[in-house]
């Protein structure tokens, strides 16, 4: 992602409906992990950019590190008081079996060798550790936005599951997100000429936030959306 896009993301993520709901989804996933008995430990937020998700991890008792490849993104995260390392997700500078949780939201689609990134997630997770992954889905939604933010693909359920399982992780849950607003996203992507990371009018932002929040309570996770979410774990036995 270009430096200008990272700065734009950092400026928008505190208020923009899309980023707010993504943080809410992460927070809910963390609460579910706690309810299942997984205690907060060491966490890695891959592709942290402005560090919004890293702060969610910290607020839920985890000891997170923000990993960012670009110098601009790393600087933004440092400015926000986060522990940051600069590195490539395909070659993590961390010991094997050293993490309890890895979060990789909108990262895999940036790599031709996405299997190397998932293999590194598996290597650095301790047995029983959790991976939370989000990716854009459906090549029918491919647009100038994807080009502007450096995507090389959009996933379907089969391709996402395959790259995660190839790494040695076990998929626990795979579901669609941003289903209700998919028709709006498809219409906008057809008209787009670049990134759709925009500062929206307050009333529009509030309306979209209400819609995406309502989706939490609707039985739509199996329907086509704009993103795919996945929870997996490293098995305790080979």
């Amino acid at each position: 992602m270009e430096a200008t896009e990272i700065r734009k993301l950092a400026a928008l993520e505190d208020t923009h409906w899309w980023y707010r709901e993504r943080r809410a989804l992460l927070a809910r996933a963390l609460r579910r992990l706690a309810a299942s008995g997984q205690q907060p430990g060491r966490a890695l937020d891959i592709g942290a950019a402005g560090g919004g998700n890293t702060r969610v991890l910290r607020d839920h008792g985890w000891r997170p590190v923000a990993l960012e490849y670009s110098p601009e993104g790393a600087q933004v995260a440092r400015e926000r008081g986060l522990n940051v390392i600069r590195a490539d997700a395909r070659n993590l500078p961390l010991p094997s079996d050293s993490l309890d949780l890895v979060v990789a939201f909108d990262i895999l689609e940036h790599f031709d060798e996405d299997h190397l990134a998932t293999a590194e997630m598996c290597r650095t997770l301790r047995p029983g550790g959790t991976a939370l992954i989000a990716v854009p889905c459906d090549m029918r939604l491919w647009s100038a936005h994807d080009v502007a933010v450096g995507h090389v693909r959009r996933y379907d359920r089969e391709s996402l599951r395959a790259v995660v399982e190839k790494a040695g992780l076990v998929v626990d849950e795979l579901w669609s997100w941003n289903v209700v607003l998919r028709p709006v996203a498809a219409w906008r992507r057809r008209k787009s000429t670049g990134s759709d990371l925009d500062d929206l009018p307050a009333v529009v932002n509030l309306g979209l936030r209400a819609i995406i929040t309502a989706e939490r309570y609707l039985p739509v996770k199996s329907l086509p959306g704009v993103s795919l979410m996945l929870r997996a774990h490293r098995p305790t036995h080979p």
Side-chain angles (χ1 to χ4, degrees), residues 91-222:
N91 186 22
L92 296 175
L94 296 169
S96 299
D97 309 336
S98 62
L99 299 170
D100 300 288
L101 174 66
V102 172
V103 176
F105 280 8
D106 289 304
I107 300 304
L108 296 182
E109 67 275 9
H110 293 277
F111 299 124
D112 288 317
E113 315 91 340
D114 55 351
H115 64 283
L116 297 181
T118 52
E120 281 292 87
M121 293 180 205
C122 186
R123 179 186 67 80
T124 54
L125 279 171
R126 64 166 178 78
T130 299
L132 298 173
I133 297 171
V135 295
C137 72
D138 198 343
M139 285 298 293
R140 289 175 296 180
L141 295 177
W142 185 267
S143 70
H145 166 79
D146 295 280
V147 176
V149 298
H151 294 173
V152 298
R153 74 181 67 76
R154 300 180 71 90
Y155 289 82
D156 57 30
R157 288 172 179 256
E158 292 74 21
S159 60
L160 178 58
R161 179 182 292 273
V163 74
V164 170
E165 292 181 341
K166 180 179 179 180
L169 296 170
V170 176
V171 175
D172 299 309
E173 189 176 7
L174 173 58
W175 70 98
S176 297
W177 178 65
N178 204 356
V179 174
V180 176
L181 289 172
R182 179 187 165 101
V184 177
W187 170 78
R188 184 168 186 183
R189 296 291 170 83
R190 285 195 296 268
K191 298 175 59 178
S192 68
T193 57
S195 169
D196 61 9
L197 294 175
D198 294 324
D199 190 6
L200 300 170
V203 65
V204 174
N205 191 58
L206 184 62
L208 292 173
R209 181 181 170 192
I211 293 170
I212 201 65
T213 300
E215 184 174 304
R216 301 178 198 174
Y217 311 102
L218 299 175
V220 296
K221 290 184 177 182
S222 63

Side-chain angles (χ1 to χ4, degrees), residues 15-34:
T15 58
H16 194 281
W17 65 273
W18 194 87
Y19 293 106
R20 287 180 67 107
E21 183 60 17
R22 283 280 294 276
R23 291 196 298 275
L25 290 174
L26 175 57
R28 182 166 61 177
L30 296 177
R31 290 193 295 270
R32 290 179 65 186
L33 288 179

Side-chain angles (χ1 to χ4, degrees), residues 1 4-14 19 48-50 197:
M1 188 181 293
T4 53
E5 288 297 320
I6 292 173
R7 285 286 176 182
K8 185 190 295 186
L9 181 156
L12 288 175
E13 68 176 358
D14 287 341
Y19 293 106
L197 294 175

